[in-house]
Amino acid sequence: MSTAPVTVPVRLLVCDDHAVVRAGLLALLASAGDIEVVGEASSGEEAVSLAARLAPQVVLMDLQLGGGIDGVEATRRITAAPDAPHVLVLTTYDTDADITRAIGAGATGYLLKAERPEELFAAVHAAARGRTVLSPPVASRVMAQMRAPLPQLTDREQDILAQLAQGLGNREIARALFISEATVKTHLGRIYDKLGVDTRAGAVAVAKERRLLR
């Protein structure tokens, strides 16, 4: 008489800075039956520490975590460790910059909180197997980015972007390139428009993703 194979639950760590959201997620995930929440973190730093200590297979990661490091930096630190778990982003944000930064940091998947519970459960299992999981709106954005022609940056914009990638502020960039801070700000505005971002980190992330840095 054959017996059904025993399904080993996916070991999951949940990271979200809102206690009510975490409680809701834990209750929802408990209903799946084949997902075991081994820990919960309220900050990026705590997620990094617990990921190393609890050895989950998947970390369910929010992007905006209040104080301390954000979900992207936490993802980068978690995935850089030996035998790292897979990180599945679960967020309300679907901007090009957020998606690019998260994937660039090593996230296996990017899911929106508007997804149905069964989609979340399936995504957790897919992430545990190392499969890329993207919410449909996110997948559409990624495909649009890949199909879009590369933005044409001027030589000066390239110079400023390179300085930006080194972590320099506007005053330092102005000094390095012998231009005024006002000119730096003007060029940054044009760079943001061309790359479709609104932050310095977003500009650098998109530039690296699309290999625009010299």
Side-chain angles (χ1 to χ4, degrees), residues 7 58 111 124 128 186:
T7 302
V58 178
L111 216 61
V124 168
T186 298

Side-chain angles (χ1 to χ4, degrees), residues 89-151:
V89 170
L90 181 66
T91 182
T92 56
Y93 303 93
D94 65 346
T95 66
D96 290 351
D98 284 324
I99 295 167
T100 299
R101 290 180 64 222
I103 294 175
T108 297
Y110 198 109
L111 216 61
L112 299 179
K113 288 182 177 178
E115 293 291 348
R116 295 174 300 173
E118 54 267 30
E119 296 294 338
L120 172 60
F121 301 157
V124 168
H125 282 276
R129 296 192 294 271
R131 289 178 48 201
T132 299
V133 186
L134 302 173
S135 286
V138 175
S140 296
R141 283 182 174 274
V142 170
M143 291 302 294
Q145 286 182 33
M146 293 178 64
R147 291 170 178 161
L150 292 176

Side-chain angles (χ1 to χ4, degrees), residues 58-70:
V58 178
V59 178
L60 198 59
M61 178 71 69
D62 192 15
L63 289 185
Q64 304 297 329
L65 297 174
I69 63 174
D70 65 4

Side-chain angles (χ1 to χ4, degrees), residues 38 85 161:
V38 297
L161 193 57

